[in-house]
Amino acid sequence: MKQYSTPHIDAAPEDFAPVVLMPGDPLRAKYIAENFLTDPLLINDVRGVQGYTGSYQGRPISVMASGMGMPSMGIYSYELFNFFGVEAIIRVGSAGAMQESVRLRDIVIGQGACTDSAFSHTFQLPGTFAPLASYRLLEHCVDAAKAAGLPYHVGNLLSSDIFYHDDPDSTAHWSKMGVLAVEMEAAALYMNAARAGKHGLALCTVSDHLLTGEATTAKERQTSFTDMIRLALDTAARI
């Protein structure tokens, strides 16, 4: 009887490429694999969290979903970094803008990830840890965004555990500190990458605006996500 390599991933280390793109949604992982990778092969489907490996511009690339929130990202990124030999994970997801200068469909590249989560407590640090992206990935990503002429911003994300917040002033508190947008996974990825000595980067397309109430349509989100996916793949190809 075939045994799972972990409780969450049924694969061998050699099934994964050194770089993994990681959307939250398993169906988006399937979409990326089928529309952007050459000869994608399904390598994991435990709990419906689909993972594929194919190639892009002749480079092996994997894509697998993280699920929603830092606990789920924490599990999958930890296992990929520590059990499957993955060297870099690039998150591709959506975010809510928290600055007027950030517009719908812009791409936010997370240089850092603030958080309201207690995730960092697991590392037993005698202070506050600042989760940062891999500069190597960040530099390649900015270069690729410039080359493609994409609208992008580099700065802090907020990785929040809370989607429906009870504090009506929560957005204002983070916005006054220059945080660009809110999502739910990047800080866990950055902390796990730091602990494993690996590379993490989060790219987010702005799907809605928390200050203006604007939101993209389903069609607009599809086009914008395509730009972000290509940017993540071009970044991976530069490593």
Side-chain angles (χ1 to χ4, degrees):
M1 181 177 178
K2 190 175 183 180
Q3 298 295 313
Y4 291 161
S5 302
T6 74
H8 315 99
I9 301 175
D10 181 13
E14 59 267 24
D15 293 332
F16 284 96
V19 182
V20 177
L21 266 61
M22 187 160 273
D25 185 354
L27 293 180
R28 191 162 296 279
K30 183 175 186 289
Y31 173 83
I32 294 171
E34 292 179 347
N35 290 276
F36 295 90
L37 299 185
T38 302
D39 299 325
L41 177 67
L42 180 67
I43 57 174
N44 182 69
D45 197 21
V46 178
R47 299 172 179 244
V49 177
Q50 299 176 6
Y52 298 82
T53 294
S55 64
Y56 179 78
Q57 296 182 357
R59 300 280 303 273
I61 301 288
S62 295
V63 55
M64 192 173 82
S66 69
M68 287 192 296
M70 291 181 61
S72 188
M73 169 60 85
I75 289 171
Y76 288 107
S77 61
Y78 183 94
E79 292 184 357
L80 290 175
F81 283 141
N82 293 285
F83 303 146
F84 293 94
V86 170
E87 293 296 322
I89 295 175
I90 302 175
R91 162 165 158 68
V92 285
S94 60
M98 304 176 82
Q99 299 293 330
E100 291 183 2
S101 60
V102 180
R103 295 182 170 85
L104 293 184
R105 299 179 292 278
D106 285 358
I107 296 171
V108 176
I109 304 170
Q111 181 178 14
C114 308
T115 186
D116 55 19
S117 171
F119 190 88
S120 66
H121 292 184
T122 189
F123 302 106
Q124 303 179 58
L125 300 168
T128 302
F129 182 75
L132 297 175
S134 159
Y135 181 76
R136 179 183 176 190
L137 293 183
L138 180 67
E139 184 177 35
H140 286 315
C141 187
V142 170
D143 288 344
K146 288 179 179 177
L150 296 175
Y152 72 94
H153 307 265
V154 179
N156 261 333
L157 291 166
L158 167 63
S159 298
S160 180
D161 278 348
I162 305 166
F163 191 85
Y164 298 105
H165 213 293
D166 197 52
D167 179 4
D169 297 321
S170 175
T171 296
H173 294 323
W174 291 105
S175 179
K176 72 184 180 185
M177 298 303 292
V179 175
L180 299 177
V182 59
E183 51 84 69
M184 302 187 77
E185 289 84 25
L189 170 60
Y190 290 0
M191 284 187 263
N192 277 351
R195 182 67 180 90
K198 301 295 182 70
H199 301 275
L201 180 66
L203 310 182
C204 293
T205 297
V206 174
S207 58
D208 57 286
H209 208 296
L210 301 186
L211 301 183
T212 67
E214 297 172 281
T216 54
T217 66
K219 183 177 180 180
E220 289 171 333
R221 292 186 189 197
Q222 186 63 62
T223 302
S224 299
F225 271 66
T226 296
D227 289 340
M228 175 183 60
I229 292 164
R230 290 194 185 280
L231 176 59
L233 288 166
D234 288 343
T235 300
R238 290 167 180 255
I239 299 173

